[in-house]
Amino acid sequence: MCLEKNKATFLIVGCHKDKVLLEEPKKTPYDLYIQAGAALTDIRKYSVNDYDDFDENISGRNDRYSEMTAVWWARYNVNTDYIGIEHYRRRFEADISVLEEAMDNGADVITITYATFPKPVNEYVGEFDFMHPFYVSMDIIKEFHPEDYALAEEIMSGNKLHPCNMNIWRKEVFFEYSDWLFPMLNAFYERIPEKRDNYLHRDVGFFAERATSIYVEKLLRMGAKVYTSGVKIYRSEEQDESEPEYNDMSEFDKYIEDLYQKKHTITCRNAIVNALPHMNEDARYI
């Protein structure tokens, strides 16, 4: 059966700097476009009043929190049975009928399939500590949620994460997740100085990506209904076309290893995420 339109909200998060896509994503009955970081610009991207800078919000922190300012807004302003987060150029690969079936079956969360990195996460992130203050984030997890610290260490010593901060949550789980996560993000924000590089400046959002993987794994081990989907990437004319063909994954593996050895960590991470649609099946139980 199909979910009623008012039972779910999929926030499609964008900002005023969004590029024009070569292909428009398919719309679903649940889509709600929201401009994140609206407090930082006078430009309004959408014709309706869907911005993350009214009512309860942290919109002014978007340059570091990235899409997480929209997640905060959803925590206090969205009350449908399911609350999803997607990006204007990244969507769930699974067909909407598959996502609806998962929600009808009482899914606790639908998340993005694991991305596999060339090295353990604590090496991949930790050795570039000037970019991502990894050890500070681990100290914060231990301080705020000592009961989850062993799990965090286990996941960070592995090489798999659920990327993109894209999830569809059952409302009650979403509220619990948000209340678990945001005090840690706020502490990280206060303790780590700002960076000059625009991309690396999004360090709070990167911490959220790692922490969300921990929370999803925690749910899974508690017996929650966790579904996964691949991610579909919608490209723009301005995006880099230098990546190898994904139909030869052995060449792709060499490409990733070369990026890692050269410490081109940002390009490496983005290439892995972009390759997910070519490596994963549609939504399924983990």
Side-chain angles (χ1 to χ4, degrees):
M1 81 182 192
C2 180
L3 224 67
E4 293 180 26
K5 182 177 179 179
N6 62 355
K7 293 292 185 179
T9 301
F10 296 172
L11 291 183
I12 312 301
V13 182
C15 76
H16 69 286
K17 297 180 181 179
D18 291 350
K19 298 176 174 62
V20 177
L21 301 176
L22 295 174
E23 174 189 357
E24 280 298 314
K26 293 181 180 179
K27 293 184 178 180
T28 79
Y30 316 111
D31 291 354
L32 174 66
Y33 285 76
I34 181 169
Q35 180 178 328
L40 300 176
T41 178
D42 293 330
I43 299 172
R44 290 296 177 261
K45 181 73 174 180
Y46 305 118
S47 58
V48 292
N49 199 30
D50 295 322
Y51 310 105
D52 70 345
D53 66 339
F54 63 93
D55 292 335
E56 290 276 352
N57 77 85
I58 52 171
S59 180
R61 297 183 176 187
N62 177 261
D63 54 348
R64 291 187 66 187
Y65 279 63
S66 199
E67 66 276 345
M68 299 310 293
T69 62
V71 178
W72 173 284
W73 182 89
R75 168 64 180 87
Y76 294 100
N77 295 282
V78 179
N79 198 37
T80 47
D81 292 347
Y82 280 91
I83 300 169
I85 305 294
E86 297 181 86
H87 304 166
Y88 88 100
R89 66 185 181 89
R90 290 176 179 158
R91 305 296 176 88
F92 287 98
E93 186 180 37
D95 187 78
I96 186 58
S97 63
V98 177
L99 300 178
E100 287 176 331
E101 181 180 1
M103 291 185 286
D104 283 335
N105 287 337
D108 291 300
V109 62
I110 305 168
T111 191
I112 297 299
T113 308
Y114 291 120
T116 301
F117 291 86
K119 305 290 181 183
V121 176
N122 56 10
E123 293 183 25
Y124 180 74
V125 179
E127 71 180 37
F128 303 104
D129 199 45
F130 66 95
M131 296 183 180
H132 303 287
F134 174 77
Y135 299 106
V136 175
S137 69
M138 292 298 289
D139 287 344
I140 288 173
I141 293 171
K142 189 173 185 179
E143 174 186 341
F144 281 79
H145 299 289
E147 72 282 3
D148 298 324
Y149 186 70
L151 176 60
E153 284 193 309
E154 177 187 334
I155 294 174
M156 293 304 106
S157 64
N159 66 339
K160 293 183 178 181
L161 287 177
H162 299 287
C164 302
N165 287 325
M166 282 175 52
N167 304 278
I168 301 171
W169 302 92
R170 185 166 59 81
K171 177 179 68 176
E172 293 80 7
V173 178
F174 175 68
F175 289 169
E176 292 171 0
Y177 154 76
S178 299
D179 295 345
W180 177 89
L181 176 67
F182 276 102
M184 293 195 295
L185 300 190
N186 297 340
F188 187 88
Y189 175 84
E190 296 293 339
R191 296 177 192 181
I192 300 300
E194 296 185 0
K195 299 175 178 61
R196 295 180 180 179
D197 183 276
N198 287 336
Y199 188 87
L200 300 179
H201 193 57
R202 296 156 53 186
D203 53 358
V204 180
F206 294 135
F207 176 26
E209 192 173 37
R210 301 193 298 272
T212 299
S213 279
I214 295 166
Y215 197 83
V216 169
E217 184 64 26
K218 177 180 178 178
L219 288 176
L220 185 63
R221 296 187 184 192
M222 292 170 56
K225 290 185 176 181
V226 179
Y227 287 75
T228 63
S229 167
V231 59
K232 181 172 176 58
I233 311 294
Y234 291 86
R235 302 186 70 86
S236 70
E237 292 180 353
E238 300 175 41
Q239 284 183 288
D240 183 16
E241 299 289 348
S242 64
E243 294 176 14
E245 292 294 329
Y246 292 113
N247 56 9
D248 186 350
M249 295 310 295
S250 62
E251 287 299 314
F252 180 76
D253 290 342
K254 293 177 183 176
Y255 171 71
I256 291 298
E257 182 64 25
D258 182 60
L259 290 174
Y260 181 80
Q261 293 300 329
K262 293 177 180 177
K263 299 188 178 181
H264 294 170
T265 55
I266 296 171
T267 306
C268 179
R269 181 261 185 199
N270 288 342
I272 291 169
V273 172
N274 289 344
L276 284 175
H278 307 272
M279 295 190 286
N280 299 313
E281 302 171 1
D282 273 350
R284 60 188 185 276
Y285 282 114
I286 291 179

